[in-house]
Amino acid sequence: MQTIFLENDSVRLVPLSLSDIGPVRTLHADAYGNRCSDGDCACQSDEAEKLVHTALKNQEDLGVSRWKVEAEDGKFLGWAGFAPLAETSEISLSYCLSKAGGDNADLPRRLCKALTEWFFKKTYFSHLVAAVRVDNRDMREVVLETGFYHRESKLIGGMQADVFQMLSPSMQTYLMSA
């Protein structure tokens, strides 16, 4: 039986496997067909193998990772999840979804909301970040609607990015009581 980390309506998030390198490479190679949340090297087609291997290692080491997004019928729709942000040593939310993979334009919003809820329910991290290219208005809207707020602008992976942050519910409660 396959591990399902998260189910959200008609999609589920399951562990990436080495057999997903090809679909990830194809997704990243289609500049007009994917909705990548960030512009770092993880979204380049020649980095697909590294992304999958890193996701497997992060799952083992951290208990969180980037996972495969698949439809109920098993169709590959992209990936979504968490990875350490090297520049800040924080856990960052990111995704890369195929436009052709889903008729549902609302999928990034639903996944972002579900992933943040899952993250704070299943981990003890005090906050979560999302690094967003300054020109990625779609992702900016998604993270703001999910409850992230702008923390800073900085150069990340050679790109100018805005770092958005969301505090855990317990941290929000603590700060509100202070």
Side-chain angles (χ1 to χ4, degrees), residues 27-166:
L27 172 66
H28 291 179
D30 185 358
Y32 299 102
N34 75 53
R35 297 178 284 184
C36 244
S37 62
D38 55 25
D40 68 10
C41 63
C43 289
Q44 296 175 3
S45 63
D46 59 348
E47 293 287 329
E49 185 173 353
K50 182 179 176 184
L51 181 135
V52 172
H53 283 286
T54 301
L56 295 172
K57 182 160 179 37
N58 286 344
Q59 182 60 48
E60 185 177 317
D61 293 349
L62 303 173
V64 297
S65 186
R66 290 173 170 160
W67 300 302
K68 174 171 49 172
V69 179
E70 66 180 18
E72 290 174 315
D73 63 2
K75 181 180 179 182
F76 180 85
L77 301 177
W79 58 260
F82 314 99
L85 187 61
E87 289 80 2
T88 64
S89 299
E90 297 167 294
I91 301 297
S92 180
L93 170 75
S94 57
Y95 61 79
C96 190
L97 302 168
S98 168
K99 283 188 178 181
D103 303 330
N104 194 341
D106 195 38
L107 182 59
R109 284 173 171 73
R110 288 188 297 118
L111 277 179
C112 194
K113 183 177 181 339
L115 281 165
T116 56
E117 289 172 358
W118 181 95
F119 183 81
F120 291 123
K121 185 177 181 180
K122 302 285 187 178
T123 75
Y124 293 103
F125 289 99
S126 63
H127 67 283
L128 178 64
V129 298
V132 181
R133 281 189 338 253
V134 294
D135 63 341
N136 190 338
R137 291 184 182 165
D138 291 338
M139 177 61 173
R140 177 181 304 277
E141 288 177 21
V142 168
V143 297
L144 288 171
E145 288 175 13
T146 303
F148 286 79
Y149 60 89
H150 184 265
R151 184 179 81 189
E152 64 184 317
S153 296
K154 66 188 311 166
L155 196 62
I156 296 181
M159 69 172 179
Q160 188 61 40
D162 289 324
V163 177
F164 294 86
Q165 176 174 292
M166 178 184 281

